[in-house]
Amino acid sequence: MSATVSVAAEWQILYDRFYRKPELYQMQWKHVDLSRNKVAAAPFGGPIAVIRDDSKIVQLYAESALRKLRVFNSAGLQLSELIWRNPGGRLIGMSWTDEQTLVCITQDGSVYMYNIDLESVGSVVSVGHDCFTNNVVECVFWGNGVVCINEAFQVFCIQDFRNPVSCQLAETAIEDFPLCVAVIEPQYTMLGNVEVLLSVGDQILKVEEDEVKQLNVDVGPIQKMAVSQNAKYLAAFTHDGRIVIMPTDFSDIAFEHTCESALPPEQLAWCGMDSVLLYWDDMLLMVGVGGSVQYFYDEPLIIIPECDGARILSNTSMEILQRVPDSTVSIFKIGSTEPAALLYDALDHFDQRSAKADENMRLIRSSLPEAVEACIDAAGQEFSISQQRKLLRAGNYGQAFCSQFQRDRIQEMSKTLRVLNAVRNQEIGICLSIQQYKLLTPSVLIGRLIYSHHHLLALRISEYLGMDQEVVIMHWACLKITTSSSIPDNNLLEILLEKLKLCKGISYAAVAAHADKNGRRKLAAMLVENEPRSSKQVPLLLSIGEEDAALVKATESGDTDLVYLVLFHIWQKRPALEFFGMIRARPLARDLFSNYARCYRHEFLKDFFLSSGQLQDVAFLLLKESWELAKSPMASKGAPLHGPRIKLIEKAHNLFSETKEHVFESKATEEHAKLLRMQHELEVTTKQPIFVDSSISDTIRTCIVLGNHRAALKVKTEFKVSEKRWYWLKVFALATIRDWDALEKFSKEKRPPIGYRPFVEACTDADEKGESLKYIPKLADPREKAEAYARIGMAKEAADAASQAKDGELLARLKLTFAQNAAASSFFDTLRDHLSFPGA
């Protein structure tokens, strides 16, 4: 029981609630006096920025003649420092953002941002142009934003430092500087914009972007204000020494407490959501519902609000003031008979081999699950490792008698405590409570360890929690490249690969890009060779000037998009002949380039084919251009394009002529050019644009139809059209214009080499039965004669011709032809019955 009493003896009671103030660290810094410095401490156990306050008269030592901005961890170990030489006048305020970026604002409104290594982040911005003429007097920060007030009582705001855009809020029209300022964060307002509370005389003004509201608050002049973390309540210290707690809508007063001093405190801050802290020179006062607690100090303090309490920073120590959790109270409260206290006591008796342990266990058997849970929860709330172990042992001891309890609960808490104890180490200096850890999340904690250069611990925690390790190794690799300029590329590559191989699927390309950015192109090229994903490898190779390697990797991947990416990049960067040489030996790249250029860049493709000796491909491109010229809008408007087309075809003919394998193409292009010329001449003479791009046969037929027999003969002679083809063309052309006399005269010039059947078909197709009868008797084949008679409806003559042919199948077909004619049909049956020949 003595251990229980010693734990509870350190608590302070405020009405019905207990508070404790354990020491987290003895500060390791030297010659740091908080009263002489401006201090900005980040929440969640974050870093502390310290710089000499130039608004105070202090004695300068030799080593402190230069004004330095220094960053420490929560244990007072220095992380970085920077000699402050920034212009802009006096430093008005500084604070850490949620991403642990240090923001410093000077008198002229300039905003300087630094990372934890005090390296500049982004460019210098301004909170407002009017601040150059009217200096900034006060700054109020919140998570990622700030509100500034200048000498002209104008209010400026930057709502998010990640996108630092300044805006001026509504004009306040006040004549004196506000007694104090507080801010309601944008995430807690209805419109999502910041609201600024100004204490002016007996009133409070709410300043928004487009209006100023005067609030009815009957508490007198307010000297100090602080908004709670959830923005539901406002703590206000009045002129008569009262601390008043009211909702931020100022609807009523929740409670008030009269302090011993009417002097406004140096600091006013919330301690969680249960109490408010006020600090004067030598006293820290905690005020809550039902009373107050005083803590006396002989050194200056900085209050750092947290979600579950407040950290107290002094010259020599870091403490945390927080409400004692209910689970801890149930165990360690003096005289507690709660099940958790009896379980904890039972473990003591068990260690002493006392039968009292069994008696305690019987007393709490029905409440054992709750007692085990309370011990486990209390272990998570403790900062003392020995106390954590004992509470977890108590929970484990009780779990052995409780079959209903969740078995992995102790394992989960043990895992969480191992992580918390690791980061609470003085060298790391991130002293998180378990509530802060849950709110911050493990991934954010790992990110903060990375940016503090604790990569090994971040890697081990990631592995222990089963999280992705890539972000840790990636950051380490990039930092190693940046800080290892003296290590040769080959040696550094071995060091990097040894670690990078620990994480499967890590992006070597990203590390290589960082190496290239730092001027180590050779190292980047060696790193990117290990990248298995072509989609990341190829773009990086291009960015570092390794076009040859990029083309090889792209073609090996078979990804046409990647190949095109490389082709277009090289196309723009390299001379044409060099580009052609690179793709000539790579079939995929060559074919993809050809397909693209064939559609969009004919001239470039012709240059490529000429450089490769592919004359026939150039010729085919010329023919395609000629054909596209014929289909162009200019051609449809009647523009004379035959000349350019003929020249293109003649060029194609010349190129085909230089190759032995393309004799046919050479001859065809020669005749095509000759035909185009002749067709153009015919169009000129006939004044009818109907010849160009028609075939030889169509040209002859058109000439005959137009009555230009001399031109038709010229075409026949020039292109050596055969007699049979000539007869066919002329017969049907004359039938088309129904020039039957000319057709008959043509048939008598000499015996037609195609026979008389075309004459019969031409007349029959024109529905000229009389003309057909002139040529049917001249048909030599009885079968042709029978079918010709049948087509013009002469059944008897068809039957006579069929009988001469002695073809039964022919008779059957003819019978079907005349099936509608009963007399003709019976005539064919009779003829078939009386004749004797094959098929009858």
Side-chain angles (χ1 to χ4, degrees):
M1 260 318 203
S2 60
T4 303
V5 172
S6 65
V7 170
E10 298 176 355
W11 300 350
Q12 298 286 339
I13 189 168
L14 180 62
Y15 189 54
D16 60 347
R17 298 169 181 173
F18 292 95
Y19 285 83
R20 62 185 178 183
K21 188 168 62 69
E23 182 178 270
L24 304 178
Y25 300 111
Q26 282 288 320
M27 301 305 288
Q28 301 301 303
W29 56 31
K30 295 180 181 179
H31 308 300
V32 175
D33 184 353
L34 298 181
S35 63
R36 299 182 176 190
N37 291 276
K38 282 188 177 293
V39 179
F44 296 98
I48 304 167
V50 177
I51 187 171
R52 190 177 71 239
D53 190 347
D54 58 353
S55 67
K56 296 179 180 179
I57 300 174
V58 298
Q59 183 177 357
L60 296 180
Y61 302 96
E63 65 272 9
S64 63
L66 291 174
R67 192 174 180 216
K68 293 181 180 179
L69 174 61
R70 292 180 290 172
V71 173
F72 301 87
N73 70 6
S74 291
L77 292 176
Q78 184 167 315
L79 303 177
S80 56
E81 71 174 18
L82 171 74
I83 296 176
W84 182 265
R85 292 194 176 98
N86 292 332
R90 180 174 295 166
L91 179 63
I92 300 300
M94 63 180 182
S95 179
W96 295 91
T97 69
D98 292 339
E99 286 77 28
Q100 290 197 341
T101 298
L102 181 62
V103 179
C104 303
I105 299 180
T106 56
Q107 271 185 314
D108 67 350
S110 297
V111 180
Y112 300 91
M113 291 185 281
Y114 302 94
N115 61 19
I116 200 169
D117 297 319
L118 291 181
E119 298 168 337
S120 182
V121 177
S123 57
V124 179
V125 296
S126 175
V127 294
H129 295 294
D130 289 343
C131 294
F132 290 113
T133 54
N134 297 289
N135 288 336
V136 173
V137 179
E138 186 169 355
C139 301
V140 179
F141 293 90
W142 73 91
N144 276 324
V146 68
V147 164
C148 297
I149 303 177
N150 67 8
E151 293 173 338
F153 314 128
Q154 295 171 312
V155 183
F156 296 89
C157 169
I158 294 178
Q159 296 215 32
D160 192 345
F161 287 116
R162 289 166 295 191
N163 180 28
V165 178
S166 172
C167 67
Q168 182 177 352
L169 303 188
E171 289 289 348
T172 60
I174 59 178
E175 297 179 356
D176 294 319
F177 199 81
L179 297 173
C180 59
V181 184
V183 168
I184 301 177
E185 299 181 27
Q187 60 178 322
Y188 299 116
T189 63
M190 292 186 63
L191 298 178
N193 296 319
V194 67
E195 294 178 356
V196 182
L197 303 178
L198 303 180
S199 174
V200 181
D202 292 340
Q203 303 296 326
I204 291 182
L205 301 181
K206 181 189 285 187
V207 183
E208 300 179 16
E209 191 169 339
D210 52 1
E211 66 175 337
V212 177
K213 296 179 181 177
Q214 184 173 321
L215 305 176
N216 296 319
V217 182
D218 189 19
V219 294
I222 294 176
Q223 305 291 323
K224 211 81 172 178
M225 289 188 292
V227 178
S228 64
Q229 292 191 7
N230 61 5
K232 290 184 177 180
Y233 293 96
L234 177 74
F237 186 85
T238 65
H239 69 293
D240 53 1
R242 289 179 298 149
I243 182 74
V244 180
I245 307 299
M246 63 188 103
T248 49
D249 62 2
F250 302 94
S251 56
D252 60 356
I253 295 176
F255 81 92
E256 62 179 77
H257 174 84
T258 302
C259 302
E260 295 178 359
S261 173
L263 292 174
E266 295 180 18
Q267 299 175 57
L268 172 64
W270 284 81
C271 181
M273 289 298 300
D274 301 306
S275 60
V276 177
L277 297 177
L278 299 92
Y279 171 66
W280 288 270
D281 281 344
D282 57 352
M283 185 183 71
L284 180 67
L285 178 68
M286 179 169 62
V287 178
V289 177
S292 64
V293 176
Q294 294 179 348
Y295 300 93
F296 293 95
Y297 288 85
D298 58 0
E299 56 184 348
L301 301 181
I302 298 293
I303 303 173
I304 310 165
E306 298 284 1
C307 62
D308 58 344
R311 282 186 295 146
I312 311 298
L313 173 64
S314 69
N315 291 342
T316 58
S317 66
M318 174 73 78
E319 301 169 314
I320 184 166
L321 177 56
Q322 60 177 182
R323 179 181 171 184
V324 180
D326 293 339
S327 58
T328 305
V329 172
S330 69
I331 298 170
F332 294 111
K333 182 180 178 182
I334 297 174
S336 174
T337 57
E338 294 289 329
L342 294 176
L343 175 59
Y344 185 81
D345 192 41
L347 178 64
D348 276 339
H349 291 299
F350 177 78
D351 290 339
Q352 298 168 13
R353 299 179 179 236
S354 170
K356 182 72 172 173
D358 186 56
E359 182 182 335
N360 280 12
M361 295 303 293
R362 283 198 301 271
L363 287 173
I364 62 172
R365 185 169 298 279
S366 61
S367 303
L368 198 53
E370 293 81 359
V372 172
E373 176 60 33
C375 287
I376 296 172
D377 183 72
Q381 306 290 345
E382 289 296 324
F383 292 92
S384 167
I385 295 177
S386 61
Q387 198 66 50
Q388 292 170 3
R389 287 199 183 105
K390 193 166 184 181
L391 286 164
L392 286 174
R393 281 190 63 222
N396 198 33
Y397 177 65
Q399 185 178 262
F401 299 91
C402 182
S403 59
Q404 302 173 356
F405 194 76
Q406 190 176 352
R407 293 292 171 180
D408 58 355
R409 181 76 175 91
I410 291 181
Q411 291 181 349
E412 291 176 0
M413 182 57 73
S414 299
K415 184 178 287 189
T416 300
L417 285 174
R418 285 193 183 103
V419 173
L420 287 174
N421 291 334
V423 300
R424 287 170 182 169
N425 182 280
Q426 183 174 279
E427 297 297 321
I428 308 301
I430 304 177
C431 198
L432 294 170
S433 66
I434 192 166
Q435 288 91 342
Q436 293 169 18
Y437 172 70
K438 290 177 179 178
L439 186 61
L440 189 66
T441 73
S443 59
V444 175
L445 175 60
I446 288 170
R448 295 192 172 185
L449 288 171
I450 289 170
Y451 292 117
S452 299
H453 302 186
H454 297 298
H455 295 94
L456 180 58
L457 179 58
L459 184 65
R460 287 176 175 171
I461 292 176
S462 299
E463 184 179 5
Y464 185 61
L465 297 179
M467 299 173 65
D468 186 15
Q469 303 171 46
E470 179 176 353
V471 64
V472 181
I473 298 176
M474 186 77 70
H475 189 275
W476 170 84
C478 293
L479 184 65
K480 189 71 175 176
I481 291 169
T482 303
T483 58
S484 303
S485 56
S486 60
I487 302 177
D489 289 340
N490 290 329
N491 296 347
L492 184 54
L493 178 67
E494 292 179 10
I495 297 171
L496 293 172
L497 292 180
E498 181 183 358
K499 304 298 182 188
L500 292 172
K501 288 177 181 177
L502 295 175
C503 185
K504 292 183 180 179
I506 196 166
S507 176
Y508 289 82
V511 182
H514 183 79
D516 179 58
K517 185 179 178 181
N518 281 266
R520 304 191 72 159
R521 181 155 290 189
K522 181 182 176 183
L523 176 62
M526 291 189 290
L527 278 168
V528 81
E529 283 294 323
N530 295 275
E531 174 60 62
R533 290 163 291 193
S534 300
S535 59
K536 293 188 175 181
Q537 187 182 39
V538 170
L540 182 62
L541 285 169
L542 291 176
S543 68
I544 64 176
E546 296 289 335
E547 286 94 355
D548 291 329
L551 186 57
V552 170
K553 297 296 182 182
T555 52
E556 287 177 353
S557 72
D559 188 334
T560 55
D561 290 338
L562 278 180
V563 178
Y564 271 125
L565 174 67
V566 179
L567 287 177
F568 291 139
H569 180 88
I570 301 174
W571 195 344
Q572 294 175 350
K573 296 286 185 180
R574 300 283 186 95
L577 291 178
E578 190 175 344
F579 171 66
F580 296 153
M582 289 179 68
I583 66 173
R584 192 174 294 123
R586 297 180 176 89
L588 178 60
R590 183 188 63 228
D591 293 344
L592 290 176
F593 164 74
S594 298
N595 290 339
Y596 174 81
R598 200 180 299 278
C599 296
Y600 304 107
R601 298 291 296 273
H602 269 196
E603 292 301 321
F604 207 73
L605 184 59
K606 283 190 284 187
D607 292 340
F608 172 66
F609 286 147
L610 287 172
S611 70
S612 306
Q614 298 172 256
L615 302 181
Q616 70 280 2
D617 291 315
V618 180
F620 284 125
L621 282 177
L622 292 171
L623 291 177
K624 184 180 179 182
E625 288 180 20
S626 171
W627 182 244
E628 289 175 349
L629 200 59
K631 296 188 293 181
S632 67
M634 294 294 292
S636 63
K637 294 178 181 179
L641 299 177
H642 65 281
R645 289 187 61 202
I646 292 171
K647 288 180 181 178
L648 290 172
I649 296 170
E650 287 176 340
K651 287 180 181 179
H653 164 66
N654 295 334
L655 291 170
F656 281 131
S657 301
E658 295 182 28
T659 62
K660 297 179 180 180
E661 298 83 7
H662 297 84
V663 177
F664 169 76
E665 288 85 351
S666 175
K667 183 66 175 175
T669 50
E670 181 183 13
E671 292 193 348
H672 189 194
K674 185 195 300 183
L675 178 62
L676 274 178
R677 277 199 196 87
M678 188 170 290
Q679 288 173 338
H680 174 66
E681 292 172 0
L682 288 170
E683 287 188 351
V684 171
T685 54
T686 60
K687 298 181 180 180
Q688 296 191 49
I690 56 176
F691 288 95
V692 171
D693 287 326
S694 60
S695 65
I696 294 174
S697 298
D698 288 341
T699 303
I700 292 173
R701 187 182 296 110
T702 304
C703 289
I704 296 172
V705 167
L706 294 176
N708 196 344
H709 296 279
R710 181 179 299 175
L713 280 170
K714 183 178 180 181
V715 175
K716 171 182 178 293
T717 305
E718 286 287 342
F719 295 99
K720 299 179 181 178
V721 177
S722 65
E723 283 296 315
K724 287 186 176 182
R725 186 178 175 191
W726 165 255
Y727 262 79
W728 272 99
L729 293 171
K730 188 166 183 178
V731 166
F732 281 93
L734 292 172
T736 300
I737 59 177
R738 311 182 77 83
D739 191 349
W740 309 117
D741 293 337
L743 181 62
E744 184 177 2
K745 181 179 179 182
F746 181 56
S747 69
K748 294 177 180 178
E749 288 181 357
K750 63 178 181 180
R751 183 172 182 79
I754 57 173
Y756 289 97
R757 183 176 177 179
F759 290 84
V760 175
E761 290 180 354
C763 296
T764 304
D765 291 344
D767 200 23
E768 289 290 340
K769 180 177 179 181
E771 294 297 327
S772 299
L773 288 174
K774 293 179 181 179
Y775 307 106
I776 293 175
K778 297 180 180 181
L779 296 174
D781 187 349
R783 293 178 180 81
E784 291 182 355
K785 189 181 295 184
E787 290 175 350
Y789 278 125
R791 284 189 65 190
I792 62 176
M794 299 179 69
K796 183 176 181 306
E797 289 77 2
D800 291 342
S803 63
Q804 294 177 14
K806 299 181 179 182
D807 188 340
E809 292 182 3
L810 178 61
L811 280 173
R813 288 201 308 273
L814 292 175
K815 179 184 175 183
L816 289 174
T817 302
F818 292 97
Q820 301 290 336
N821 190 332
S825 181
S826 61
F827 177 75
F828 280 110
D829 288 336
T830 303
L831 181 62
R832 184 174 181 180
D833 292 339
H834 287 85
L835 293 177
S836 173
F837 46 80

